[in-house]
Structure formats: C-alpha cells, structure tokens
Amino acid sequence: MEYILIFISAIFVNNIVLSQFLGICPFLGVSRKVDTALGMGAAVAFVLTLATIVTYLVQIYVLNPFGLQYLQTLAFILVIAALVQMVEIILKKVSPALYQALGIFLPLITTNCAVLGVAILVIQKDFSLLQSVVYAFSTALGFALALTIFAGIREQLAYTRVPKGMQGMAIVLVTAGLLSLAFMGFSGVDGGLKALFGLN
C-alpha cells in the first residue's frame, strides 16, 4: 500500500512539473505536439529511473561513508551527465531504431532539472532503494502525463482564435497555470488514502 501511495502522490498530488515546478524548460519547449511529448516522456522515464538508482547508490556507498555529503549536487550532476552520454552511446550501438526515436531528446534530459531534483528528493525523503525506484518512475509518469496533456491543449490552441495580446508564450503560460490549478484538485488524495488504510 505504501508503494501505491508513493505512485499516486508522485503522479497526481505532487506532480514534478505542475506542483514542484521542476523540468519547466522541456515542459514549455517540447510540448508543441503530442507525439514529441510522448517521446520526451518515454526518454525521461528511462533516464530518470536509471539516474535515481545510480545516484542513490553513489550517495549510500560513496558520499555517506567518506563524509562527502556536501559534494552531493556536484556528484549527482556529473553522474547524470555521464549516464546520459553512456545511454546515448549504448543505444546507438545496440538499438539504432530506439536511438533514432529517443536520440533528439537525450541531450535535453541532461539539462532537465527534474532528473537532478528527484535524485536529491529521494535522499531527503530517506527512501529505500525500492521506494526510490517507485518514486522516480512515478514522477517520470507524472511528467509524461503533464507534458502530453499540455501538448494536446497546445495543439488545440493552434485552431483557436486567441486575442492578439495573448498570442505566443502568453497564452502558453496562462494554459500551464490553469493546468496546474486543475492538478491542485488532487491535493489531499494521498492524505485521504492514508487515513482510509490506517497508515501514518
């Protein structure tokens, strides 16, 4: 039940983009078309889960034993950048088709602050490795969901008459704000589930 709560909370209640405002750059930049948003969402899910596992192990087995916690952010940035490059090289060799599908999104993920944010959050929340993996994957699904919904709305906006003063990035930001408000409707769901199942 604890993992279900983490899953629901990460996707809906504490959505990484719409509630915690991490990963805004790709959210605004890669959300023009639904198929592009789905590709970015899949790439983020893969890299975010993998990066969380690796950074968690680095924290537990390297930084903590040697008292190097103050190097956490720097170490995580280096690990994530190296991991994305490694994934890119491996995909190019092993699966050229998948590399072509994700290749354009992989460099964007290196600069996606959501990846670093989740890596740091799982340490701050004192999660176990399995909880960290569930949280990372759920967060990536939440990111993909928000990105896909937003891309669908933006595709519809292209066929809508928008007042001249609101065209361009203005209507995009207003739409993102309204979508964020819609996701706020899920606040309290995790608390209700905890009370329902008698969890603290």
Side-chain angles (χ1 to χ4, degrees):
M1 191 60 212
E2 184 183 354
Y3 296 106
I4 295 170
L5 282 173
I6 291 171
F7 185 79
I8 292 170
S9 178
I11 294 175
F12 300 108
V13 182
N14 297 316
N15 187 284
I16 196 77
V17 181
L18 301 173
S19 295
Q20 300 183 51
F21 306 110
L22 293 171
I24 294 290
C25 294
F27 179 70
L28 294 175
V30 192
S31 59
R32 295 178 192 277
K33 293 184 178 179
V34 171
D35 55 346
T36 312
L38 287 170
M40 183 66 174
V44 166
F46 178 68
V47 172
L48 187 59
T49 307
L50 194 61
T52 301
I53 294 168
V54 175
T55 53
Y56 182 89
L57 295 174
V58 166
Q59 179 75 34
I60 299 301
Y61 295 109
V62 179
L63 299 180
N64 287 354
F66 294 103
L68 299 172
Q69 292 91 338
Y70 60 92
L71 291 175
Q72 183 190 65
T73 305
L74 182 63
F76 284 11
I77 289 170
L78 292 173
V79 166
I80 290 165
L83 196 63
V84 171
Q85 291 301 312
M86 216 165 52
V87 166
E88 200 169 353
I89 292 164
I90 292 166
L91 280 180
K92 200 171 185 178
K93 297 272 185 192
V94 176
S95 177
L98 187 61
Y99 173 76
Q100 287 296 324
L102 300 180
I104 57 170
F105 303 116
L106 284 171
L108 286 173
I109 295 167
T110 311
T111 57
N112 188 348
C113 58
V115 179
L116 178 63
V118 170
I120 292 171
L121 279 171
V122 295
I123 303 299
Q124 288 178 348
K125 290 175 184 279
D126 204 24
F127 281 160
S128 67
L129 181 59
L130 185 56
Q131 287 174 323
S132 299
V133 171
V134 171
Y135 180 76
F137 184 70
S138 306
T139 299
L141 286 181
F143 178 83
L145 176 69
L147 194 65
T148 307
I149 292 171
F150 193 54
I153 294 170
R154 285 185 75 176
E155 279 187 357
Q156 290 302 312
L157 277 174
Y159 303 105
T160 307
R161 289 178 62 189
V162 178
K164 195 169 183 180
M166 290 294 290
Q167 288 175 2
M169 193 49 72
I171 192 67
V172 170
L173 292 172
V174 168
T175 307
L178 291 172
L179 188 59
S180 182
L181 283 172
F183 268 71
M184 279 181 68
F186 293 111
S187 63
V189 169
D190 56 343
L193 285 172
K194 281 179 184 175
L196 183 66
F197 292 100
L199 296 170
N200 289 328

